Amino acid sequence: MSDQPNTPGRLSRARVTLWLHYLVPLAVLLVCVVLRWQDVPLVGQLRMSVFDNYQRIAPRAFEDAGVRIIDIDERSLDEMGQWPWPRTRLAELIYRLRLAGAQVVGFDIVFAEPDRTSPARVVHDWPKNDNSDALAKLAETLPDHDLLFAEFINGVGQVVTAAQLTSQPFSTLPRQVGNFSVGGEAGRHLADFIPVLSGATANLSVIEEAAAGNAIINVSPEQDGVVRRVPLMLALDHEEPLIGKPVYPTLSMEVFRILQDAPRTMNVRLSGASGATRWTTAEGVEAIRVGKVTIPTDQSGHMWVHFAGHRAERYISAADVIKGNLPERALENTVVLIGTSAAGLLDLRSTPLDPVLPGVEIHAEMLEQMLLGQFLTRPYWAAEIETLVLLLVGLFFVLAIPKLGAVWPAIIGGTMTVAAGGFSWWAYSSQQILIDPVYGAVSLVAVYLIASSIGFMRTEGERKQVRAAFANYLSPALVEQLARHPERLKLGGETRDMTLLFCDVRGFTSISEGFKSNPQGLTRLINRLLTPLSKAILDREGTIDKYMGDCIMAFWNAPLDVPAHARRACESALAMFDALEHLNARRAEEATEERQDYLPLNIGIGINSGNCLVGNMGSDQRFDYSVLGDAVNLASRLEGQSKNYGVGIVIGEETARQAADGFAILELDLIAVKGKSEAVRIFTLLGDSTIAHSAEFADLRDRHMQMIQSYRLQDWDGTERLIDECIALATDMIGQFDLAGLYGLYRDRIATFRANPPPPDWDGVFVATSK
């Protein structure tokens, strides 16, 4: 190694730090993509806010579709008495509605309890006296209000009752009138995609049975309490024979079905229906056909409500209907929903246009859209397209900013953001399609700011790196220690338990021959290789002892203590192979672009742990901080054996013992390395804890140990059979570490031993004849 720093080589470290310019923005981009893909609440709320603003800017133009709300308002309660009203009064209400020309009457009210004003129940609640029995018998002869109400419902016809599904334990099964057939890929069930609730609040059975239809009135707000989508179907978690979980239509859709005199069965189209091929992974409901009209939905069967906002024209007071105060033909050819706007009855909701709105008006808005055939949609593929665009444009930013700087990507990104916003607004205002432009824009701004900031910091870092070039020849820990304690620059050492690593480039002679006429190119190549390999060591608390041409010598646990130093060395070795893989990939791309021959670089690594003498060694004029000892020599020999055994990393027994829990390790052999008469057990390191704790590796490790034992027992047939099993288990599992060479070595030895059997006292030790 030269006495002076290679300044051009130091400058080349800028290429190493360049990964920050790519990987950090890429990581930010991937986080944004994952957040969007998982649709976390913050992302969903941002998207909903955009859609809310669209509706506020351009709400649905109100067009009278003949939908009326018979409102049990405060005036009705004042004039007709407190709620609940006697069912006889409600019977009169629906009779007058049908008489006035209402085609269908739907209740946004559940009649779950018996009418307390029925004669038998009133008498039961009176104080007891001598006449109580006679009064009770007389009351039993009078009509029951619930039965009378049911008779009116059945008599006037075209009445839809309502139930509500809840999350309470199941108690009552509502009557199912409108039902569904499912079109789509075989084996998919409607309840797999729509909301499923566990319980229900149903009407009295006598009332439900009299109605032409029965529906649910659930209006599900988003997490912020605002209603934007309403489920057109809900399933009850109660298995019924033949039909499975019963699925109920929403009030507006059941009224719409009755109005059309459509069949009871409505067709639900799932993604991939009618033989169509899904071109995204999205699955779920696409649309529901009711009579002649197809209603688009989101994947869970919700309808997006395109609000026109509160309209007084929709409302008629229930008191006016009962008292006959309606204008002439006010209800002719209308569809009527009976609900309440009275605050005390607690049916008030919040929408993007109205902070307080009676829930029945949401059903009315949905019914208007069905009658007019005007639907707000968000296609099932929208989320995936938005995510794909975010990923592609984000990758452009990640790749372009380091090459083009910050200005042009900002101009391009700004133009694309404006275009996305314009397209989203056009899709909403002209096509009634909801496309989210904001989350992608926010994410891209984050990626841009991170990439630009890193570019600035990288430029500043390169300047500091040039000024501090000499310091990079030593471990940062050693530099800091020597800066604090310059008196330690003297001869001497100490004995420490350490881990040593040797790394050498394989086939370096062949590589050098390709640079005979270009020694500067060979220097750049070596620097380009040693830089990431060294970084893998230094980042894991290692100290680089020296570079010997194409070889690196490093150690751990000196000059400062490094807990679990054997593990840190193993982590560095794996990281060095990862860095080598990336470097070879870049060199292959460059060779293709420059139309040059490409020869991949490969390395072998040896690691050993043991007691060593470490300190400043040399002469009074020149000395280095280095390490000596038997453990050092063995580490060097193990690196040499990596090629013979066909593996990338060979580790000693003590290293394997200290790192056994967190790494995928296999025993290689009992070997007497060159220069030593005593045999040592050697191992290979194949991967980190992910591989080590996998079931596949456990199987390979067990079978491999059986193979080693069989080999040492001279069971050649059994060994070859186990080799075949090991190869099968190792295929496609270890990745960059190929074990074919190792098992080929054992096959060759077995062939030799078959021809020349070992002596009877052979203990399985292999005596190495080369370093």
Side-chain angles (χ1 to χ4, degrees):
M1 195 171 185
S2 171
D3 289 344
Q4 297 297 325
N6 186 350
T7 302
R10 295 296 93 193
L11 291 173
S12 70
R13 287 189 62 118
R15 299 192 64 183
V16 179
T17 59
L18 186 62
W19 67 272
L20 283 174
H21 219 157
Y22 291 102
L23 290 187
V24 174
L26 180 61
V28 173
L29 173 62
L30 293 179
V31 169
C32 292
V33 169
V34 170
L35 291 177
R36 176 62 190 85
W37 192 257
Q38 297 297 320
D39 204 18
V40 298
L42 179 62
V43 175
Q45 187 57 49
L46 179 62
R47 180 172 63 255
M48 293 302 180
S49 297
V50 175
F51 297 160
D52 289 351
N53 286 323
Y54 283 177
Q55 295 220 45
R56 294 186 187 110
I57 295 170
R60 177 173 63 87
F62 176 72
E63 183 177 347
D64 191 351
V67 179
R68 296 293 181 268
I69 297 171
I70 304 305
D71 188 12
I72 302 171
D73 54 5
E74 298 290 353
R75 183 167 72 87
S76 297
L77 297 178
D78 289 340
E79 295 181 9
M80 309 302 296
Q82 68 179 6
W83 187 262
W85 289 346
R87 302 282 156 81
T88 52
R89 186 168 297 159
L90 292 174
E92 181 184 2
L93 177 63
I94 61 173
Y95 173 75
R96 288 184 177 275
L97 290 173
R98 291 287 281 143
L99 191 65
Q103 294 178 291
V104 181
V105 177
F107 278 99
D108 187 25
I109 302 168
V110 182
F111 303 106
E113 301 292 336
D115 188 350
R116 59 180 174 81
T117 66
S118 291
R121 293 185 181 84
V122 170
V123 170
H124 179 75
D125 292 337
W126 285 353
K128 301 299 181 182
N129 55 37
D130 295 340
N131 299 320
S132 295
D133 292 340
L135 289 173
K137 290 180 180 180
L138 176 62
E140 289 175 358
T141 65
L142 299 176
D144 181 86
H145 289 185
D146 292 319
L147 291 175
L148 189 62
F149 183 43
E151 289 174 2
F152 266 82
I153 290 175
N154 184 61
V156 302
Q158 302 296 86
V159 175
V160 178
T161 53
Q164 186 161 18
L165 301 192
T166 69
S167 58
Q168 301 301 316
F170 175 79
S171 58
T172 305
L173 183 67
R175 178 188 177 211
Q176 188 182 35
V177 183
N179 53 62
F180 302 91
S181 65
V182 179
E185 294 178 0
R188 296 193 291 171
H189 304 287
L190 189 54
D192 295 336
F193 302 101
I194 66 174
V196 178
L197 295 176
S198 57
T201 301
N203 297 282
L204 297 175
S205 60
V206 66
I207 296 176
E208 278 190 354
E209 293 296 331
N214 192 41
I216 56 171
I217 55 174
N218 294 63
V219 176
S220 305
E222 310 287 345
Q223 290 187 344
D224 59 355
V226 178
V227 176
R228 302 178 181 92
R229 297 172 290 181
V230 175
L232 292 182
M233 304 169 291
L234 283 176
L236 183 59
D237 193 12
H238 177 72
E239 294 291 339
E240 283 287 293
L242 301 179
I243 67 172
K245 290 184 174 67
V247 178
Y248 298 90
T250 196
L251 176 62
S252 55
M253 190 164 65
E254 183 72 342
V255 169
F256 186 53
R257 181 186 69 82
I258 298 295
L259 179 65
Q260 296 183 82
D261 195 23
R264 289 187 174 188
T265 300
M266 294 164 275
N267 182 259
V268 179
R269 186 173 73 238
L270 301 182
S271 53
S274 302
T277 301
R278 293 194 308 276
W279 54 277
T280 74
T281 59
E283 284 193 309
V285 181
E286 286 186 11
I288 305 172
R289 187 166 184 82
V290 184
K292 298 179 180 180
V293 178
T294 299
I295 306 172
T297 71
D298 68 6
Q299 291 173 252
S300 57
H302 288 67
M303 173 181 169
W304 288 88
V305 186
H306 197 180
F307 289 98
H310 175 68
R311 307 291 299 192
E313 303 96 301
R314 297 189 181 111
Y315 285 84
I316 297 175
S317 175
D320 289 335
V321 177
I322 295 173
K323 292 182 176 181
N325 295 333
L326 290 176
E328 187 178 357
R329 308 182 71 177
L331 291 174
E332 188 172 350
N333 296 323
T334 59
V335 181
V336 169
L337 300 179
I338 301 175
T340 179
S341 64
L345 300 185
L346 302 177
D347 189 29
L348 300 178
R349 308 288 179 172
S350 177
T351 72
L353 301 186
D354 299 284
V356 179
L357 186 76
V360 66
E361 193 165 4
I362 296 175
H363 291 293
E365 293 238 29
M366 296 171 63
L367 188 53
E368 286 176 354
Q369 290 181 252
M370 295 175 190
L371 290 166
L372 297 171
Q374 300 173 0
F375 298 104
L376 188 63
T377 64
R378 178 163 168 79
Y380 72 92
W381 44 260
E384 296 191 359
I385 294 300
E386 291 163 3
T387 305
L388 179 62
V389 172
L390 168 61
L391 182 61
L392 293 178
V393 178
L395 287 175
F396 165 75
F397 275 15
V398 171
L399 297 175
I401 291 177
K403 298 181 181 297
L404 302 180
V407 177
W408 277 108
I411 295 173
I412 296 171
T415 302
M416 295 178 70
T417 299
V418 172
F423 173 77
S424 175
W425 174 253
W426 170 85
Y428 166 77
S429 59
S430 299
Q431 306 299 316
Q432 287 76 54
I433 296 176
L434 295 172
I435 303 294
D436 177 19
V438 172
Y439 179 73
V442 172
S443 300
L444 293 175
V445 168
V447 173
Y448 173 81
L449 292 177
I450 291 294
S452 300
S453 300
I454 290 176
F456 173 78
M457 290 186 292
R458 174 172 161 258
T459 300
E460 291 300 310
E462 287 174 350
R463 295 171 183 169
K464 293 180 181 179
Q465 188 178 45
V466 171
R467 291 192 294 267
F470 277 98
N472 291 302
Y473 280 90
L474 301 175
S475 162
L478 181 57
V479 171
E480 290 297 320
Q481 186 184 67
L482 294 179
R484 291 193 300 268
H485 304 286
E487 67 275 10
R488 297 195 62 176
L489 289 172
K490 63 183 188 317
L491 295 179
E494 59 182 327
T495 300
R496 299 179 69 105
D497 179 31
M498 301 176 63
T499 296
L500 298 307
L501 179 148
F502 283 79
C503 173
D504 194 17
V505 179
R506 291 180 180 172
F508 185 71
T509 301
S510 300
I511 296 173
S512 301
E513 289 177 356
F515 289 87
K516 285 183 179 180
S517 60
N518 184 16
Q520 293 84 4
L522 179 62
T523 301
R524 287 193 297 271
L525 177 62
I526 291 300
N527 289 340
R528 190 177 180 185
L529 170 65
L530 296 182
T531 297
L533 299 186
S534 301
K535 188 176 188 309
I537 295 170
L538 296 175
D539 286 352
R540 290 157 183 83
E541 301 175 276
T543 297
I544 296 178
D545 186 294
K546 58 178 67 70
Y547 299 97
M548 297 165 285
D550 60 318
C551 180
I552 302 175
M553 175 183 172
F555 53 79
W556 279 261
N557 207 35
L560 304 177
D561 292 337
V562 178
H565 50 84
R567 297 174 61 88
R568 299 298 274 167
C570 291
E571 292 170 359
S572 296
L574 294 174
M576 292 166 76
F577 273 94
D578 287 340
L580 179 65
E581 181 180 359
H582 293 306
L583 174 60
N584 279 331
R586 291 196 300 271
R587 290 181 59 243
E589 293 174 358
E590 293 167 1
T592 301
E593 294 173 356
E594 298 170 4
R595 298 182 179 179
Q596 295 180 351
D597 293 334
Y598 165 66
L599 185 63
L601 297 171
N602 198 6
I603 59 174
I605 294 177
I607 304 175
N608 189 44
S609 301
N611 289 328
C612 304
L613 179 66
V614 61
N616 295 308
M617 302 176 189
S619 66
D620 288 334
Q621 291 78 27
R622 178 179 173 85
F623 51 85
D624 290 321
Y625 190 88
S626 189
V627 60
L628 296 174
D630 187 64
V632 181
N633 298 330
L634 181 55
S636 176
R637 297 291 188 268
L638 296 183
E639 180 280 317
Q641 292 300 322
S642 64
K643 182 176 182 180
N644 296 333
Y645 283 87
V647 295
I649 306 171
V650 178
I651 64 177
E653 185 171 3
E654 181 60 20
T655 303
R657 184 189 66 80
Q658 295 185 33
D661 292 338
F663 297 89
I665 296 173
L666 291 180
E667 182 175 352
L668 289 177
D669 207 356
L670 268 172
I671 184 173
V673 299
K674 188 174 179 61
K676 291 180 66 69
S677 58
E678 184 178 352
V680 294
R681 292 174 70 198
I682 61 174
F683 300 78
T684 184
L685 173 64
L686 298 178
D688 58 13
S689 59
T690 301
I691 296 177
H693 296 150
S694 68
E696 294 86 354
F697 179 76
D699 291 340
L700 173 61
R701 181 184 57 224
D702 293 341
R703 205 60 52 87
H704 181 85
M705 287 305 302
Q706 294 175 26
M707 186 276 292
I708 292 290
Q709 293 170 3
S710 178
Y711 167 79
R712 291 171 183 166
L713 293 173
Q714 303 182 40
D715 179 8
W716 311 131
D717 292 338
T719 303
E720 289 186 327
R721 175 178 53 78
L722 289 166
I723 286 174
D724 291 336
E725 295 178 11
C726 290
I727 291 175
L729 290 171
T731 301
D732 296 330
M733 187 191 74
I734 303 304
Q736 62 184 332
F737 299 103
D738 184 5
L739 298 181
L742 170 63
Y743 293 122
L745 172 67
Y746 272 94
R747 288 187 189 277
D748 292 341
R749 288 186 185 177
I750 290 171
T752 301
F753 286 144
R754 287 184 188 277
N756 300 290
D761 61 345
W762 181 66
D763 55 2
V765 174
F766 176 78
V767 179
T769 58
S770 64
K771 295 183 179 181

